[in-house]
Amino acid sequence: MPSSSHGTVSISAETYARLLSLADQAPLDCLPLTSRTLAYAKTLGYNQIGQIRSTPNNRLFADLGEDRAEELQRALYDFGMRPTQAGELSD
């Protein structure tokens, strides 16, 4: 396929949910993080991407501090994932 050609891939909602679930189970090591942030997050029990995605921003900031929490959130976006923010909707 020529490099100038762009195609669109469609997947079902069920397939997308399954892929997202698998990505949530991936270790934090998959994210582009500094070794200090990775070690700090692991010390606090954050070991999988899904834990970061499902933790409300205010909790991440309280646990990790502003700089580390923002680094984790940027890494999620770079990885192509967004926080679920489920915890913030229940306020």
Side-chain angles (χ1 to χ4, degrees), residues 47-60:
N47 297 301
Q48 296 178 322
I49 289 174
Q51 290 173 291
I52 298 299
R53 279 190 0 99
S54 64
T55 300
N57 287 339
N58 59 349
R59 180 79 254 161
L60 285 177

Side-chain angles (χ1 to χ4, degrees), residues 30-42:
C30 294
L31 297 176
L33 300 168
T34 63
S35 57
R36 291 183 83 187
T37 296
L38 183 60
Y40 197 76
K42 284 184 168 190

Side-chain angles (χ1 to χ4, degrees), residues 21-91:
S21 174
L22 288 172
D24 278 344
Q25 295 174 35
L28 281 186
D29 305 75
C30 294
L31 297 176
L33 300 168
T34 63
S35 57
R36 291 183 83 187
T37 296
L38 183 60
Y40 197 76
K42 284 184 168 190
T43 298
L44 293 172
Y46 294 103
N47 297 301
Q48 296 178 322
I49 289 174
Q51 290 173 291
I52 298 299
R53 279 190 0 99
S54 64
T55 300
N57 287 339
N58 59 349
R59 180 79 254 161
L60 285 177
F61 278 68
D63 286 351
L64 302 166
E66 184 176 349
D67 290 341
R68 288 185 181 103
E70 287 178 353
E71 180 184 346
L72 277 162
Q73 290 171 338
R74 275 191 309 274
L76 278 178
Y77 286 117
D78 291 347
F79 197 65
M81 300 186 79
R82 304 291 179 262
T84 61
Q85 299 306 317
E88 291 189 348
L89 296 176
S90 63
D91 289 345

